Amino acid sequence: MELLPGDRENLAIQTRGGPEKHEVTGWVLISPLSKEDAGEYECHASNAKGETTASAKVHVVETLHEI
């Protein structure tokens, strides 16, 4: 079963207006971050003008030497 963002205590989704007029900026905060949080995250957005999707992969390392 896949969890929804509101189901996880360490995950918050934030949005705010801007940077330009009629734009919205959004981001995900994962805190505290653990190895279980590694994986691919997707963002889906739609409005009257269309829709789009973006994704990002999160890799969790123990030390900077693993980068």
Side-chain angles (χ1 to χ4, degrees):
M1 177 175 66
E2 187 171 346
L3 296 175
L4 296 173
D7 296 335
R8 297 178 50 188
E9 292 182 11
N10 70 329
L11 190 131
I13 298 172
Q14 302 288 319
T15 59
R16 70 170 185 83
E20 301 295 329
K21 187 176 181 180
H22 306 298
E23 288 185 350
V24 175
T25 298
W27 64 95
V28 174
L29 171 66
I30 306 172
S31 179
L33 183 66
S34 69
K35 287 234 178 220
E36 290 78 31
D37 297 309
E40 187 167 0
Y41 291 78
E42 293 183 350
C43 176
H44 302 269
S46 64
N47 63 18
K49 297 291 185 181
E51 59 185 62
T52 190
T53 302
S55 63
K57 290 183 181 179
V58 173
H59 300 277
V60 180
V61 297
E62 296 289 332
T63 67
L64 291 177
H65 298 289
E66 293 180 52
I67 296 176

